[in-house]
Amino acid sequence: METSWRFFLLSREAEGMTSAHDAVQVAIHSQPFSATDQLDRWLQRAGSAAAATAVFMGHVRPETMDGAPLEALELSHYPGLCERLLLSFTQQQLSDHGVQSALVLHRVGRLSPGDLIVLVAVSGDRRGPVQRCCSDLLELLKHEAPFWKREWSGGVGTWLGANTPL
Amino acid sequence: METSWRFFLLSREAEGMTSAHDAVQVAIHSQPFSATDQLDRWLQRAGSAAAATAVFMGHVRPETMDGAPLEALELSHYPGLCERLLLSFTQQQLSDHGVQSALVLHRVGRLSPGDLIVLVAVSGDRRGPVQRCCSDLLELLKHEAPFWKREWSGGVGTWLGANTPL
Amino acid sequence: MGETRLSAACTVQVLLFASLRDRAGWSSRPFTLSAHTLCTPQAIWQLLDLGAWPGGVRVAVNQSFVAADHPLNDGDELAFLPPFTGG
Amino acid sequence: MGETRLSAACTVQVLLFASLRDRAGWSSRPFTLSAHTLCTPQAIWQLLDLGAWPGGVRVAVNQSFVAADHPLNDGDELAFLPPFTGG
């Protein structure tokens, strides 16, 4: 329980972490949030909407990797490092793909089947770059950011050893 | 004006066109609509959210293809054929990519800079297929569906001869 | 089949869209080919007085895409479609 | 430089995450290497009693990724990170 508390407190501090210019918004949420509410707020803040916006949302599956019914998905992260990496990946990706703005939100804590895990949105002038940037950012979140998932089923928790294949 | 009316009336009839199973929702809107409201409704209707959802939104640019300030973007379509093609493309794409459900919404009529033109959302079990399906559907909408754009600038309307490059 | 078509007059409803509609000044009109002309989209196009067959234009008959030499039936809906620019 | 390190004791705060945390039964603890051992993440790992160096584990020192033989300084934060499974 102590460990969990430490995570939650640090996560709350990190919520709403935003880079110097508003083009990048990155946050780790320890409580459920609505993808469409967040998306709406971010699109409004951008003022006049960019021509192209690509979005990805990941939700908790109802089954474990082994096909058993999932009770909960526990998500932990390395506070501090994780937020900084997310911000750095996102800024680098915007620059690499030549796109204007991005929103990256990720849940930690105990999630139920159907809950939102991750939201990535990228806006810019051309549909190709925003789609590729959104997809590349998602792969970085999956493979290069210190997040860990534990599946709970039948009262037993199992840490995942690897992500689902692309 | 007569022509415009005919388009609007037929468009209204077509709104909310849905295939036999709810997995595919396709509509042509003659009035502005909110991407996030529509997305929210579609995600709720799907009941338990699929693990992966990819979305694309296209908004009207503030400038013409030639870089002049844009007053309005006029979008017309071939009513009947257009809706049927959208439905058919979408069903085929879901099947080709092995994904579960899709939402395809497209505006017609007179649009202002920043207005939403198109919304494509695809849900399924794996992030790769939903992203590819969303992207492929968008290209079909751009190149294989009978929609036409006319840019209005300085009181002069110019039909576009081709789409923006990918 | 070709002979059957040659022996009867053919009236089709022609629809134009976007730039073609503006060039012609109308959106929907009936056109009739005499009994001695093979009834195809190409033949109808000649009646429209819109110049040479334009590159990139697609043809739909009764809301299905067809080739420019597709044989038409009396009463068909024939649409000429400039290059698409949706999405 | 190596000699400097050998001449002083090195205490680092070790953080474990996810499966490593469960295996060890703790999340954060100080560990000290004597003045006669080169202070690296690999050397600290030996003190943790968690078996051989596990494949796929990454190392961060003061919240930056480093190699397993990165020289540590007294007071560093050293984290062992199992393979990431976010997103």
Side-chain angles (χ1 to χ4, degrees):
Chain A
M1 274 327 277
E2 204 192 319
T3 306
S4 294
W5 269 108
R6 181 168 173 250
F7 269 73
F8 287 136
L9 288 170
L10 284 165
S11 302
R12 285 218 185 91
E13 280 169 34
E15 283 184 25
M17 187 172 180
T18 301
S19 80
H21 67 138
D22 271 0
V24 175
Q25 191 186 335
V26 169
I28 293 175
H29 289 251
S30 55
Q31 297 297 326
F33 63 98
S34 155
T36 48
D37 283 357
Q38 294 286 337
L39 202 53
D40 210 35
R41 218 171 299 168
W42 176 72
L43 287 168
Q44 307 244 329
R45 229 179 64 177
S48 157
T53 302
V55 182
F56 182 86
M57 300 173 203
H59 290 88
V60 179
R61 288 189 175 77
E63 298 187 341
T64 67
M65 295 281 247
D66 295 337
L70 182 87
E71 287 158 15
L73 185 69
E74 184 187 337
L75 260 153
S76 63
H77 74 311
Y78 185 174
L81 175 61
C82 192
E83 289 83 348
R84 272 204 304 283
L85 282 173
L86 259 50
L87 198 52
S88 145
F89 291 155
T90 307
Q91 288 171 325
Q92 186 63 49
Q93 285 293 312
L94 289 185
S95 160
D96 288 354
H97 289 280
V99 303
Q100 275 81 65
S101 57
L103 172 69
V104 175
L105 304 177
H106 203 291
R107 262 301 301 279
V108 293
R110 189 178 170 92
L111 285 73
S112 298
D115 280 359
L116 185 68
I117 306 172
V118 63
L119 172 68
V120 180
V122 175
S123 270
D125 196 52
R126 292 274 173 252
R127 65 192 185 281
V130 302
Q131 289 175 318
R132 289 190 292 271
C133 184
C134 184
S135 173
D136 287 356
L137 262 175
L138 182 63
E139 294 313 303
L140 286 170
L141 288 179
K142 293 212 161 249
H143 302 296
E144 303 298 329
F147 287 109
W148 298 277
K149 289 194 187 106
R150 174 153 57 173
E151 294 179 337
W152 287 92
S153 185
V156 177
T158 308
W159 290 102
L160 295 186
N163 257 312
T164 52
L166 182 63
Chain B
M1 277 322 280
E2 203 192 322
T3 306
S4 293
W5 270 107
R6 181 169 173 248
F7 270 73
F8 287 136
L9 289 171
L10 284 165
S11 302
R12 285 217 186 91
E13 280 171 33
E15 282 183 26
M17 187 172 179
T18 300
S19 81
H21 67 138
D22 270 0
V24 176
Q25 191 186 335
V26 170
I28 293 175
H29 289 252
S30 55
Q31 298 297 325
F33 64 98
S34 155
T36 48
D37 283 358
Q38 292 286 336
L39 202 53
D40 210 36
R41 218 171 299 169
W42 176 71
L43 286 167
Q44 307 243 331
R45 228 178 65 176
S48 157
T53 302
V55 182
F56 182 86
M57 299 173 204
H59 290 88
V60 179
R61 288 189 176 75
E63 299 188 340
T64 67
M65 294 283 245
D66 295 338
L70 183 88
E71 287 158 13
L73 184 70
E74 183 186 338
L75 259 152
S76 64
H77 75 310
Y78 185 173
L81 175 59
C82 192
E83 289 84 347
R84 272 205 302 285
L85 282 174
L86 260 49
L87 197 52
S88 144
F89 291 155
T90 308
Q91 287 171 324
Q92 186 64 49
Q93 285 294 312
L94 289 185
S95 160
D96 288 355
H97 289 280
V99 302
Q100 274 82 65
S101 56
L103 172 69
V104 175
L105 305 177
H106 203 293
R107 263 298 302 278
V108 292
R110 189 178 170 92
L111 285 73
S112 298
D115 280 359
L116 185 69
I117 306 172
V118 62
L119 172 68
V120 179
V122 175
S123 270
D125 195 51
R126 292 274 174 251
R127 66 191 184 281
V130 302
Q131 289 174 317
R132 289 190 292 271
C133 184
C134 184
S135 173
D136 287 356
L137 261 174
L138 182 63
E139 295 312 304
L140 286 169
L141 287 178
K142 292 209 163 253
H143 303 295
E144 303 297 329
F147 287 109
W148 299 277
K149 289 196 186 103
R150 175 154 55 173
E151 294 180 335
W152 287 92
S153 184
V156 177
T158 308
W159 291 102
L160 296 186
N163 257 310
T164 53
L166 180 64
Chain C
M1 258 189 69
E3 278 178 81
T4 313
R5 277 167 210 293
L6 283 170
S7 66
C10 161
T11 298
V12 298
Q13 190 70 19
V14 175
L15 304 186
L16 298 182
F17 290 92
S19 55
L20 289 177
R21 178 179 295 186
D22 284 4
R23 272 168 62 193
W26 50 266
S27 59
S28 177
R29 262 201 193 176
F31 282 83
T32 303
L33 277 171
S34 72
H36 300 292
T37 312
L38 187 65
C39 195
T40 65
Q42 277 170 327
I44 297 283
W45 179 264
Q46 303 306 321
L47 305 181
L48 305 187
D49 201 23
L50 290 171
W53 182 268
V57 162
R58 288 193 238 192
V59 179
V61 170
N62 301 328
Q63 306 216 344
S64 290
F65 295 124
V66 299
D69 60 355
H70 179 85
L72 294 167
N73 292 313
D74 193 57
D76 279 350
E77 175 180 291
L78 167 62
F80 293 104
L81 313 170
F84 305 153
T85 54
Chain D
M1 259 188 70
E3 277 179 81
T4 313
R5 281 168 205 291
L6 284 170
S7 66
C10 160
T11 298
V12 299
Q13 189 69 20
V14 175
L15 305 184
L16 298 182
F17 290 92
S19 54
L20 289 178
R21 177 178 296 186
D22 284 3
R23 272 168 61 195
W26 50 267
S27 58
S28 176
R29 263 199 193 177
F31 281 85
T32 304
L33 277 171
S34 70
H36 301 289
T37 313
L38 187 65
C39 196
T40 66
Q42 277 170 326
I44 297 283
W45 179 264
Q46 301 307 319
L47 305 181
L48 306 187
D49 201 22
L50 289 171
W53 181 268
V57 162
R58 288 194 237 193
V59 179
V61 169
N62 301 329
Q63 306 216 344
S64 290
F65 294 124
V66 298
D69 60 354
H70 179 84
L72 295 167
N73 292 313
D74 193 58
D76 280 349
E77 175 180 289
L78 166 62
F80 293 104
L81 313 169
F84 305 153
T85 54

